[in-house]
Amino acid sequence: MRLEAITWERLTDALAERITATTPKDGSSWLRVAVDGAPAAAPGDLAGRLAEALRVRGRAVHRAGTFGFLRAASVRLEHGREDPDAFHDEWFDRQALWREVFQPLDPGGSGRVLPDLWDPATDRATRSAYVTLPPGGILLLHGPFLLGHWFPFDLSVHLKLSPGALARRTPEGERWTLPAFARYETETRPEEAADVVVRADDPRRPAWSGPV
């Protein structure tokens, strides 16, 4: 895949323009966008920039992160605190994401979504209030391992890090997760699955696959 250099500002504007020109694939009243990437690639930062750019363009946006939908510690830590396969398979409550985020945005849905579900610090439900995304609004879901689960994304962006960059930018205490990202690359092939790929090895000089 050929990637071309771009600034984060231009990338944000280009992605925002593409998102506003995208039509929901299933006839829904809401657009669902993935910003997929390891924490070291900072997908939440790009999602934040996109949210601001889309609001300037008059679109309502709901930004949500998968780390707000962790499963209870008794489930995700059943095989220990540093099990990369459990991190890949068990940490994130994908059923809750389907139920609380995606189903309300199905055709004919209510638009009433839950911002987050679980607080890992207290290991309890956050009890956050539901928010209503109006018709024409956009869901920006950011976090790792978003692709390959049949989530109904209308557009997906993958933030790509080389193995070396991922290792360098992952804090020492989180490097046990690296095999999980290697497995994701092998099994899911996010670079092929995503609509847009952004290489973020150098956080100052991104490159992307360009408009389609």
Side-chain angles (χ1 to χ4, degrees):
M1 177 182 294
R2 294 185 60 182
L3 301 176
E4 61 183 63
I6 193 169
T7 64
W8 286 112
E9 291 78 10
R10 288 176 51 219
L11 174 67
T12 300
D13 284 341
L15 287 175
E17 289 297 324
R18 178 163 178 183
I19 290 168
T20 56
T22 298
T23 301
K25 296 175 182 177
D26 59 2
S28 171
S29 298
W30 300 273
L31 202 66
R32 296 140 299 189
V33 178
V35 183
D36 174 67
D45 290 352
L46 178 57
R49 287 192 288 266
L50 282 172
E52 183 177 352
L54 290 165
R55 289 177 181 128
V56 167
R57 288 165 171 79
R59 302 295 293 272
V61 179
H62 175 66
R63 182 165 68 99
T66 54
F67 278 95
F69 288 85
L70 292 176
R71 302 177 78 186
S74 60
V75 176
R76 69 178 190 272
L77 305 181
E78 181 180 2
H79 302 288
R81 293 184 175 275
E82 297 186 355
D83 186 299
D85 287 326
F87 180 59
H88 182 280
D89 296 335
E90 303 292 343
W91 273 47
F92 300 98
D93 194 339
R94 296 182 178 98
Q95 289 186 348
L97 282 168
W98 274 106
R99 181 180 67 251
E100 304 291 357
V101 177
F102 288 106
Q103 288 183 1
L105 304 182
D106 281 344
S110 66
R112 189 170 175 264
V113 298
L114 192 65
D116 50 50
L117 178 67
W118 203 257
D119 183 344
T122 62
D123 198 35
R124 294 181 179 180
T126 58
R127 302 189 182 279
S128 295
Y130 284 87
V131 298
T132 299
L133 186 62
I138 299 168
L139 167 70
L140 291 175
L141 183 63
H142 60 87
F145 313 135
L146 287 179
L147 306 179
H149 301 290
W150 301 102
F151 288 148
F153 292 119
D154 300 297
L155 185 72
S156 56
V157 180
H158 173 63
L159 291 174
K160 176 181 175 58
L161 291 177
S162 68
L166 178 61
R168 288 192 303 272
R169 293 172 58 185
T170 298
E172 181 68 32
E174 298 175 12
R175 289 187 180 176
W176 62 270
T177 64
L178 296 179
F181 293 109
R183 180 181 163 194
Y184 184 60
E185 288 289 332
T186 300
E187 295 182 3
T188 303
R189 298 182 181 275
E191 191 172 350
E192 299 174 12
D195 297 301
V196 178
V197 176
V198 178
R199 186 180 65 209
D201 284 2
D202 184 340
R204 300 165 299 177
R205 298 181 180 87
W208 76 317
S209 55
V212 177

